[in-house]
Amino acid sequence: MKSEVGQKPFKVMPWLRETRDRIHEETRDMSFDEKRRWTEERIRRDPFLAALYDRRTTPTGRGAVARAAGGRAHAEEG
């Protein structure tokens, strides 16, 4: 990976391991439901994750109505 002059390249694996370990420490003693609520709260607070979650839950584009209706709307069109 090339980087701009004077900047170190971003090291993915150390970041991934640190993040995984930090999340594990935060959620170690939580029940499944507590972890689910923790994850949902994180998604709401993080702009990047919120955008991804919105894309997953709110269909957009051509065929979105069909997907949202379980495929029935597409059959009705044609």
Side-chain angles (χ1 to χ4, degrees), residues 10-69:
F10 180 69
K11 303 289 185 182
V12 173
M13 291 311 294
W15 174 84
L16 180 68
R17 289 182 185 115
E18 289 169 11
T19 303
R20 179 195 60 206
D21 292 344
R22 182 179 45 80
I23 290 171
H24 177 74
E25 286 298 316
E26 288 181 38
T27 62
R28 174 184 302 211
D29 297 323
M30 292 183 186
S31 69
F32 177 79
D33 287 334
E34 289 172 325
K35 286 181 183 181
R36 183 178 50 79
R37 285 190 297 271
W38 182 87
T39 302
E40 289 173 356
E41 178 61 30
R42 289 290 199 146
I43 289 170
R44 286 188 206 106
R45 287 188 304 174
D46 186 284
F48 179 74
L49 293 176
L52 290 176
Y53 184 76
D54 288 343
R55 286 174 41 191
R56 181 177 68 92
T57 59
T58 307
T60 60
R62 190 166 192 266
V65 173
R67 286 192 300 274

